Amino acid sequence: MALRVLNPNAEVLNKSAALYMNINAAKGLQDVLKTNLGPKGTIKMLVGGAGDIKLTKDGNTLLKEMQIQNPTAIMIARTAVAQDDISGDGTTSTVLFIGELMKQSERYISEDL
């Protein structure tokens, strides 16, 4: 069986490093959106490449406008946007819920459960 390298610049991680990278991506996305939640949530300023400015508190808008690089964070963002497309609400809550699940999974993994 021949081994073929698809991307020579790709970063190769072992299983545990990849797992923690995915958990950290979820926690990072959660940290960005958790201040939006509720009536006292903060407004975020998004600056586009052309210098255009958007002020929003809407999680759906933030997730659509952010340039997310991590594949796990992209999958979480797509899940949250799908939640908003189906029900019209819950984008931020979905991200926070997934982030909290990932935090709990990190705790269990560190305890070898």
Side-chain angles (χ1 to χ4, degrees), residues 22-105:
N22 291 336
I23 291 170
N24 287 330
K27 288 175 11 182
L29 200 56
Q30 180 188 30
D31 287 342
V32 169
L33 290 180
K34 72 180 172 186
T35 56
N36 287 28
L37 192 62
K40 294 186 179 187
T42 58
I43 294 175
K44 302 281 193 279
M45 182 184 338
L46 300 170
V47 180
D52 54 324
I53 296 174
K54 287 185 182 180
L55 297 173
T56 186
K57 197 181 108 138
D58 180 37
N60 190 21
T61 304
L62 284 170
L63 290 174
K64 286 182 177 179
E65 297 292 327
M66 287 172 34
Q67 295 178 353
I68 302 171
Q69 299 295 318
N70 184 284
T72 302
I74 291 170
M75 189 168 51
I76 294 169
R78 286 182 183 167
T79 302
V81 169
Q83 166 69 25
D84 189 72
D85 291 344
I86 292 169
S87 68
D89 197 15
T91 309
T92 303
S93 299
T94 301
V95 171
L96 296 181
F97 182 68
I98 293 171
E100 201 56 42
L101 285 173
M102 295 297 272
K103 280 183 183 178
Q104 294 300 317
S105 69

